[in-house]
């Protein structure tokens, strides 16, 4: 059973996962293959997260984003591995997962993600 | 929406032309999404349609009001190839500069000229092949670009409308005193 189910701020969060990219006439075709829900703790970005977002994603510090803790790893956007990051739905808005950090050394093993709002 | 129509047609044409030349995936760049597996080729217009000279106005015929507004336009397309680094053998390397070289070579083939003619495209200038190999995370990825300047013509049928009647009322002074005297009380023009 997920710890996040019992945590005070745990909530069900919808996740959309995409398949291998396909192209039709040179145009990318969206290919969602799976939708599921996870228990997660959704929190605001910290200042350190905003530094990361600014440096790595070239976004401004005030771009809307969330930090998500869960015991399920989400797929983070990866150019090299050609992975389109999972989309999570928080309060009706779509956020794309950009980073994944694994916290497996603790008794309470979990994953931390940063997701930024999709346009 | 003459520009959208023209550019969409050019995009479709460039896509099928590139697919006939290189045996790799061809995509339109700048789609803000997952890229294909290398090797692949992408292309994009890096300028807008630059206006050259002034418009020609060519009437369809003398009885019809329609006429064609024609103008020349110039634009630059950037082709970018992404290759794959070696996995230990020379044969496994796909050089990005080789892919771009194929594209540049194909520009001079007769079937390319006739294909572009069908799209109302003329090749104005070819620039140099540039190696822009970059570090992607932990490994260098072979990349190369080539920009080509094209010219085309845009053509839109325009209906300017017609003047059917012109009403002028007033008295014409028929006594000629060296000056024509045409006092006009009312001048009105009606359109269809």
């Amino acid at each position: 059973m997920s710890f996040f189910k019992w945590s005070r701020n745990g909530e069900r969060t919808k996740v959309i996962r995409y398949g291998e990219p396909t192209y039709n006439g040179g145009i990318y075709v969206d290919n969602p293959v799976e939708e599921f829900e996870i228990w997660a703790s959704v929190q605001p970005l910290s200042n350190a997260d905003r530094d990361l977002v600014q440096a790595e994603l070239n976004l401004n510090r005030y771009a809307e984003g969330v930090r998500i803790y869960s015991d399920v790893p989400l797929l983070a956007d990866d150019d090299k591995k050609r992975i389109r990051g999972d989309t999570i739905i928080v309060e009706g808005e779509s956020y794309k997962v950009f980073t994944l950090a694994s916290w497996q050394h603790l008794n309470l093993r979990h994953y931390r993600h940063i997701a930024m709002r999709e346009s | 929406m003459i520009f959208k129509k023209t550019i969409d047609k050019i995009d479709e044409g460039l896509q099928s032309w590139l697919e006939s030349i290189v045996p790799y995936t061809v995509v339109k760049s700048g789609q803000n999404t997952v890229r294909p597996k290398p090797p692949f080729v992408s292309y994009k217009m890096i300028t807008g349609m630059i206006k050259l000279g002034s418009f020609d106005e060519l009437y369809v015929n003398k009885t019809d009001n329609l006429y064609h507004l024609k103008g020349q336009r110039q634009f630059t397309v950037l082709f970018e190839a992404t290759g794959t680094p070696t996995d230990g053998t020379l044969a496994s390397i796909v050089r990005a500069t080789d892919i771009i070289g194929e594209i540049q070579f194909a520009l001079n083939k007769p079937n390319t000229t006739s294909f572009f003619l069908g799209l109302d495209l003329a090749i104005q200038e070819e620039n140099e092949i540039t190696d822009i190999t970059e570090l992607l995370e932990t490994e260098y990825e072979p990349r190369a670009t080539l920009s080509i300047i094209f010219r085309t013509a845009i053509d839109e049928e325009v209906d300017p409308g017609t003047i059917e009647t012109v009403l002028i009322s007033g008295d014409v002074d028929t006594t000629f005193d060296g000056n024509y005297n045409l006092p006009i009380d009312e001048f009105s023009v009606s359109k269809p």
Side-chain angles (χ1 to χ4, degrees):
Chain A
M1 185 60 72
S2 168
F3 161 79
F4 293 96
K5 180 174 182 180
W6 308 111
S7 72
R8 283 179 61 199
N9 51 5
E11 57 186 78
R12 294 288 272 175
T13 305
K14 186 176 163 186
V15 179
I16 302 169
R17 183 154 292 170
Y18 299 88
E20 275 280 303
T22 53
Y23 293 87
N24 180 15
I27 305 290
Y28 174 78
V29 182
D30 233 0
N31 187 22
V33 290
E34 201 182 351
E35 280 187 22
F36 53 92
E37 287 189 342
I38 57 168
W39 285 100
S41 172
V42 181
Q43 301 177 16
L45 293 181
S46 67
N47 264 338
D49 293 340
R50 293 194 181 280
D51 287 344
L52 184 78
V53 163
Q54 200 174 11
E56 295 296 320
L57 303 177
N58 210 18
L59 296 174
N60 70 53
R61 291 184 66 78
Y62 309 104
E64 287 181 51
V66 287
R67 182 197 273 211
I68 308 147
Y69 291 97
S70 72
D71 50 7
V72 179
L74 300 176
L75 287 181
D77 219 46
D78 192 321
D79 245 5
K80 198 170 180 181
K81 292 179 186 161
R82 301 186 312 111
I83 293 171
R84 175 171 171 176
D86 287 338
T87 294
I88 59 162
I89 312 294
V90 177
E91 292 178 355
E93 298 284 355
S94 297
Y95 293 79
K96 188 181 194 178
V97 176
F98 279 101
T99 67
L100 162 69
S102 176
W103 293 75
Q104 299 295 297
H105 62 293
L106 305 171
N107 285 339
L108 178 63
R109 294 178 175 186
H110 66 277
Y111 298 91
R112 192 193 71 192
H113 313 86
I114 291 175
M116 303 305 294
R117 205 171 90 169
E118 291 181 311
S119 55
Chain B
M1 301 296 281
I2 182 71
F3 283 95
K4 175 158 175 52
K5 202 168 82 179
T6 309
I7 293 169
D8 284 355
K9 187 177 136 192
I10 291 168
D11 269 353
E12 277 179 29
L14 288 175
Q15 177 77 27
S16 61
W17 176 68
L18 286 166
E19 283 173 352
S20 71
I21 295 163
V22 291
Y24 308 119
T25 310
V26 177
V27 293
K28 194 168 159 44
S29 66
Q31 295 189 62
N32 238 347
T33 184
V34 186
R35 60 194 210 138
K37 187 178 180 184
F40 67 90
V41 174
S42 63
Y43 63 98
K44 68 174 172 186
M45 279 174 71
I46 55 168
T47 65
M49 291 282 210
I50 299 163
K51 186 182 175 191
L52 298 175
S54 51
F55 280 102
D56 286 336
E57 295 173 12
L58 301 172
Y59 281 87
V60 177
N61 55 49
K62 286 182 180 174
T63 53
D64 206 330
N65 298 316
L66 299 176
Y67 72 95
H68 284 263
L69 204 53
K70 291 181 178 223
Q72 284 192 54
R73 291 289 184 274
Q74 177 175 296
F75 60 94
T76 305
V77 177
L78 183 76
F79 297 92
E80 183 172 336
T82 303
T84 51
T86 176
D87 65 1
T89 59
L90 185 63
S92 67
I93 302 173
V94 179
R95 293 182 200 89
T97 44
D98 290 354
I99 303 172
I100 289 290
E102 290 289 338
I103 294 168
Q104 192 181 40
F105 181 65
L107 287 171
N108 301 301
K109 291 180 179 171
N111 54 354
T112 296
T113 313
S114 60
F115 180 79
F116 282 165
L117 199 63
L119 289 169
D120 299 328
L121 286 182
I123 299 159
Q124 179 67 19
E125 198 176 315
E126 298 167 26
N127 294 314
E128 289 177 353
I129 295 174
T130 313
D131 189 320
I132 55 158
T133 296
E134 277 183 47
L135 191 64
L136 177 65
E137 293 180 11
T138 54
E139 289 172 6
Y140 281 98
E141 186 178 62
R143 294 182 200 170
T145 60
L146 168 71
S147 61
I148 299 170
I149 300 172
F150 289 97
R151 282 193 181 174
T152 189
I154 54 169
D155 177 352
E156 190 166 44
E157 208 170 68
V158 178
D159 183 356
T162 48
I163 297 169
E164 284 199 337
T165 55
V166 176
L167 175 69
I168 301 172
S169 69
D171 296 323
V172 177
D173 187 355
T174 53
T175 57
F176 184 67
D177 57 358
N179 295 312
Y180 290 104
N181 189 16
L182 293 169
I184 296 170
D185 295 337
E186 185 190 346
F187 182 91
S188 67
V189 176
S190 63
K191 284 200 307 185

